[in-house]
Structures are given as C-alpha cells and as structure tokens.
Amino acid sequence: RENEQRARKRKMRLLTHNMLSSNIKGVANGFPLRIEVEKVVEKQVDFNADFLKNMFAKIEWKALVDASRSMGYSELPGDANPAMLDSDDFLQKFHHALLELHLEEGALVCPETGRKFPVNKGIPNMLLHEDEV
Amino acid sequence: MPSRTAQIRFVSSHPEVYEPCDDSFALVDALLADRTNLLEHRPTLCMEIGCGSGYIITSLALILGQEANGAYYMATDINPHAVKVTRETLDAHGVDAELITTDIASGLARRLAGLVDVIVVNPPYVPTPEEEVGRGGIASAWAGGENGRSVIDKILPIADILLSDKGWLYMVTLTANSPSDICRQMRQKGYASRIVLQRSTEEESLHIVKFWRDFDTQGAASDIYSVKKTGHANLVESLLSQCSQLSFWRHNNGNSS
C-alpha cells in the first residue's frame, strides 16, 4: 500500500463524511450518505493517538467501515470497541481510514431520496434546491 | 517559516468573495490575543461559519497547529466561490481544513451536535433591507437585514447546537447589532460572554464577542440590558449609503501587510 505524494492539496476525508447527513426536507434519516467514488487520493497525515482516541467516541463506526470500503480500503474491523484503542495496529488502521483516504471527485448520495451531492476538488456541495428546503 | 497568521499577499481572491478587512483582522487579533488560552484549551474540532477568503480559518490553523496538535478544522460558506478561494488560501499557507459548501451548517449540525470546541464567525452584520439577505454572491458577505441581525440570529441557535460543553464561540458584531442584546439572548441559553476586542472607526465600532457555556448561572437573565433603539436611524442611513461597495470598511486599506 503506497501513499501518493503530491502537492499539499487535501480533499474530503472520511471524518468529514462521518459528520455529513442529507439535509433535504422530509428525510427522516439522511445518515450515512453513500459514497460514489470517481477519484480517491491517499495522503499522508501526521499521526496523533490522542486525537484518534478523542474522536473514536464520536464516530459512527459502521458508516466509517462502509465508507472506507467504498474508497478501496478493507482493513477496518467490522466492529470496534474502546479496548481496541490500546492496539497500535488498530490505531494505524483507524488513522488511515479516518484521515488519509481523500475523496477528490465523486458524490455523496442521500440514502432515502438518492439525491446526489457533488464532491468536486474534494469539496462537497450541500446546497439545496428551493424545493428541497 | 510559518507565519503567525495568514498573510494578505498569500490570500486568494475572487470578485464575488469578500476580501479580508478590518473586521477580519480584528477577529484574528482577538484569536491571537487569546492564543495561550486556546492552546491550553486543546480544542479538537474547530469550525468557521462563512469562511470567505479563508483568511480567518487559515489564521486559526496557523495559531493552533494541525493534526500533530490534535486539531481538525472545518469551514463552510454558502458561496461556492468563497469555498474555492478558501482552499487556495489554505494551500498557499501550507495548512488544511475540510471545506463544505453549505448554508451555515446544513447537513453537518445533526452529527456535529455537541462536538465543536471552537467556532469563529465573521457574519454578514451590515444593516440592510431584508430583501438583500440571502441573495447569494458577494452580498451574502455583508447583507444582514434589520439591524444587521438576520443572519446572526440564524447562526446563534445553530452554534448553540454545535458547541461542545467546553466550546467557545468568537463572533464579530457591530454596535448596530446590539451586542448587549445578543449577549442577553445567549445568556438565556446558558452562555457567559465577554467583549474580547473592540475597534472603532468614525462610523462604527466592531465588537469581537467570545461566548462560552457557563454552568454556574442558568436561567433567564434579569432585565439588566434594555434594548435601546435611539440614535440608530441616522447610523443605519449612513451605513446604507456606503453599503453598495465592498469598500464599506476599507477607508484606509492599502492592504499591505
């Protein structure tokens, strides 16, 4: 597994995906958004164990697992619990999935309506049309 | 060698995007003045609502550091040009933030509720006719409707949702926005507040307000602050006459820095 070294530009990370939900009027549960990948980039990001341990409680684990698989990374365990944070191997995988898989081009899809929120140059556009507000 | 704050010569621009001005500089100066407290606070998730040129979020990231320091930055703007410009500004300074094009925090608030440790906002605070609010384009940077409060009053309850127990909110206001009224409303939601920086021009005063949850004093505030409506009519007229141009604040902006 190789990290592509490019210009410093970074794109949408899975931590952000884990915090996004469909904001369309009438949608009961818009989380998680399904990822349609056109371009994934892997970027090296500094490792901080405290940050990961801090974030762990806030992450929806299954959404992260599914999202990372759609980005081509299958190393995350299907289930996770806080005890695993003592394992460096687990932390490295968590770090990689959460922060180093970047979606550059693609879309985030509302799980209820199928509406696509485009991601261009790593920026998701969540602006709604008038009839969706 | 990284600079303490964003540098104007590296800030990107676009005709539809608000360029850094006295209000931006004031907010960043307030963050710099609070730097020691912020570093001790060890925020994890930091967010800017309405990132414009990216000057403020870039400065915040320079002040607090990146992943090595355990911080993660997010910024939103309703103007897609602003989001693009912010990306360029971040890149030019070698710092990073996650950017989302959205209205305030739409699409984020549900999952980020109670998780954000620092929010910074330089809102559209200029008193304008209501119709000018939410028109899109560059006017979204300043058009604030009646008393310049339309967008501020939308942002505050959302900030309340987003902020963690230890969360801090820094916001730019004008005297015309009645900051004491804003503080009173926030007090009723359980926030203490302090004007951390004040800067006056001939026409107006900027007040950078810091809010934090104050668990010792809950419940409704007494009527210490009464909202006074005297004297604002002339002020609003004067502000409106200057509103048509971005140069509302830039009376002396050679923009060298």
Side-chain angles (χ1 to χ4, degrees), chain B residues 89-139:
Chain B
T89 300
L90 290 163
D91 288 345
H93 289 81
V95 289
D96 190 52
E98 296 284 295
L99 302 178
I100 301 104
T101 307
T102 192
D103 183 4
I104 305 179
S106 182
L108 288 165
R110 187 168 293 188
R111 283 283 295 131
L112 277 180
L115 299 190
V116 186
D117 296 323
V118 174
I119 299 179
V120 293
V121 195
N122 183 11
Y125 52 63
V126 178
T128 65
E130 269 312 314
E131 312 87 73
E132 289 189 21
V133 179
R135 261 210 197 136
I138 195 159

Side-chain angles (χ1 to χ4, degrees), chain A residues 8-13 15-16 18-21 23 28 31 45 48 51 54 58 60 123-124 126-127, chain B residues 44 67-70 72 78 83 87 91 94 96 98-103 106-108 110-112 115:
Chain A
R8 293 203 60 127
K9 301 174 189 200
R10 297 188 199 173
K11 311 300 173 183
M12 191 200 80
R13 290 179 267 190
L15 173 43
T16 300
N18 208 268
M19 296 299 154
L20 280 167
S21 46
N23 46 358
F31 179 86
V45 170
N48 184 315
F51 176 80
N54 209 336
K58 302 163 186 172
E60 287 286 330
I123 299 172
M126 305 299 294
L127 291 175
Chain B
T44 305
E67 291 89 2
N69 286 18
Y72 193 84
I78 198 169
V83 177
R87 168 59 66 209
D91 288 345
D96 190 52
E98 296 284 295
L99 302 178
I100 301 104
T101 307
T102 192
D103 183 4
S106 182
L108 288 165
R110 187 168 293 188
R111 283 283 295 131
L112 277 180
L115 299 190

Side-chain angles (χ1 to χ4, degrees), chain A residues 10-13 40-41 71 99-104:
Chain A
R10 297 188 199 173
K11 311 300 173 183
M12 191 200 80
R13 290 179 267 190
V40 173
V41 175
M71 305 268 271
L99 299 175
E100 295 190 324
L101 299 173
H102 294 215
L103 183 66
E104 192 169 323

